[in-house]
Amino acid sequence: SIAVVQAAAGREVGKTGEMYCPKGHSAICQILPYTASEPSDHNSHSPLVNTVTLDSLVASHGSQEKQLCAMKIDVEGSEEEALLGAVQTIRRHHPIIFLELHPVELRTRGASTGKLIDQLFGLGYKSIVPLTESSSTCSCSKPLCSAYRPDQFSSDGSGGIRGNGTYAQSQWRGADPLVEGGQNTVVQAADACECARSCWAHLNPEAGFSGCRCWDFQVNSGQCRLYADCNPAIAANSMPGAEILGEQPGWWAGELNGLLRVSAGT
């Protein structure tokens, strides 16, 4: 049977959130923190939603002893809150998690995709696999690429990379390099899309918290620099990435994003 619950998944039970839906984009609604004395500027008519934890839902539906096989989380920037509210259930069952990462929305909440990946490893997960090529936002590498001219993305060095968590003409500020074998990890890449794939290839589940979480790429030299941390915290309500990204012509920067399959098995 299926039970529909009118609530938002959060880290605590009984909090109130404000559902904000960008005009014309109901598929990407977000739950924003709500304070009665300081209503959001987004929309005075935004509905209010109570929060529950996934742990509390499992307990209330008598499913604690049943094996939970899978969990899907696609919450437009509330990934960390949903995950923290499911820690007990995850530790007990280690379900396969289908998770979509939203880097820009996460950063406006003081989190990041890198931090979320670290939390998943800390909960005992060992395998994190992008489900589609769009997880590295490399549009010209999809099967539909045949519909594009092969040189369509060559002039800007992007390799077709686009989307949430990809920043043109940008370079990370104060990021912690990924160190392997005592050396900062720098590889050669044909374009930014290949650089993003290199970051995924250096995710290093077996190494715990020392894998790649973000990258930047210099178009002229083909230099792809991999980082273990790109300063996750930024001020709320500021432009996402404004304090951690520097404008740098001829560069691309990016972080882990897209739809993932997360499992405890290798």
Side-chain angles (χ1 to χ4, degrees):
S1 62
I2 298 174
V4 178
V5 179
Q6 187 172 326
R11 70 179 74 194
E12 297 178 82
V13 176
K15 297 294 184 180
T16 301
E18 179 183 6
M19 179 179 287
Y20 166 61
C21 299
K23 187 175 181 181
H25 295 281
S26 60
I28 55 173
C29 296
Q30 303 175 51
I31 302 298
L32 304 177
Y34 173 79
T35 303
S37 60
E38 298 179 10
S40 168
D41 293 332
H42 290 299
N43 186 347
S44 60
H45 302 292
S46 296
L48 301 182
V49 183
N50 290 328
T51 64
V52 297
T53 65
L54 295 178
D55 284 336
S56 68
L57 285 181
V58 170
S60 65
H61 285 77
S63 304
Q64 292 164 298
E65 302 306 320
K66 297 179 182 178
Q67 180 61 35
L68 180 65
C69 298
M71 181 183 298
K72 181 178 183 291
I73 301 176
D74 181 2
V75 288
E76 304 296 329
S78 297
E79 293 91 312
E80 183 178 41
E81 286 94 336
L83 190 67
L84 291 175
V87 167
Q88 294 179 16
T89 300
I90 288 172
R91 285 178 174 160
R92 183 181 298 115
H93 299 287
H94 280 110
I96 295 173
I97 300 177
F98 297 94
L99 172 68
E100 185 160 6
L101 300 175
H102 300 83
V104 171
E105 290 79 5
L106 277 164
R107 285 192 178 276
T108 61
R109 296 169 179 260
S112 71
T113 58
K115 181 180 178 183
L116 205 66
I117 294 294
D118 290 343
Q119 290 170 336
L120 289 166
F121 286 145
L123 288 169
Y125 286 97
K126 298 179 180 179
S127 174
I128 299 178
V129 179
L131 284 180
T132 64
E133 189 64 43
S134 62
S135 291
S136 58
T137 55
C138 300
S139 59
C140 76
S141 297
K142 295 180 181 180
L144 293 177
C145 187
S146 59
Y148 298 96
R149 290 172 44 210
D151 63 343
Q152 181 174 358
F153 301 110
S154 61
S155 60
D156 62 2
S158 69
I161 198 162
R162 294 291 188 275
N164 195 332
T166 302
Y167 312 102
Q169 308 298 315
S170 298
Q171 186 178 32
W172 292 108
R173 291 175 173 168
D176 295 332
L178 175 62
V179 177
E180 294 182 332
Q183 301 290 324
N184 294 352
T185 305
V186 180
V187 299
Q188 287 299 118
D191 49 44
C193 186
E194 186 175 323
C195 184
R197 290 200 193 95
S198 294
C199 188
W200 281 108
H202 288 77
L203 196 65
N204 294 346
E206 71 281 357
F209 302 113
S210 61
C212 182
R213 302 293 179 265
C214 42
W215 54 269
D216 55 26
F217 171 74
Q218 187 178 38
V219 175
N220 288 340
S221 68
Q223 182 184 89
C224 170
R225 305 187 304 187
L226 306 183
Y227 300 100
D229 183 25
C230 289
N231 300 331
I234 63 170
N237 301 321
S238 66
M239 179 181 295
E243 298 177 4
I244 53 177
L245 285 167
E247 183 177 350
Q248 192 65 41
W251 284 76
W252 287 83
E255 51 195 320
L256 303 177
N257 67 349
L259 182 61
L260 314 178
R261 182 184 188 274
V262 184
S263 62
T266 55

